[in-house]
Amino acid sequence: MAPVIEIIGVYPVKAPEPCHLIELWVRNSQTGIDVGMFTQPMRSQPRSNWQAAYDEKMLDSSGVKIVADDLFGTRPESRLWAGDLRIA
């Protein structure tokens, strides 16, 4: 069964370029999710140049506390979280 992804919010971030923080519920994740697959398409560029999620954090269920910050990073165990995840 594929995970179900629900957008909780999209929040503007003050930055030199337009930028937004996106908060998601990922439900029923069996093997984790690759946030690098969340991209901003640029028709004039190959997919390898598209902007992708960066510096993702896993939050507690209330969205107040960061419970993991190497969610899909370099550590092998970082890809093992399953179930319901709240991600920013």
Side-chain angles (χ1 to χ4, degrees), residues 35-67:
V35 294
M37 297 302 291
F38 290 94
T39 61
Q40 180 176 337
M42 297 172 62
R43 292 185 180 155
S44 64
Q45 296 289 322
R47 185 179 180 100
S48 60
N49 288 346
W50 292 359
Q51 292 185 7
Y54 172 76
D55 201 21
E56 61 279 352
K57 309 289 186 208
M58 184 164 55
L59 307 174
D60 65 2
S61 62
S62 68
V64 174
K65 182 179 176 186
I66 296 171
V67 295

Side-chain angles (χ1 to χ4, degrees), residues 5-18:
I5 299 171
E6 173 188 344
I7 298 172
I8 296 172
V10 178
Y11 314 102
V13 175
K14 187 174 182 178
E17 296 181 22

Side-chain angles (χ1 to χ4, degrees), residues 33 35 56 69-79 81:
I33 188 167
V35 294
E56 61 279 352
D69 65 359
D70 189 29
L71 193 52
F72 305 105
T74 56
R75 296 188 326 242
E77 68 273 17
S78 69
R79 295 189 178 269
W81 288 304

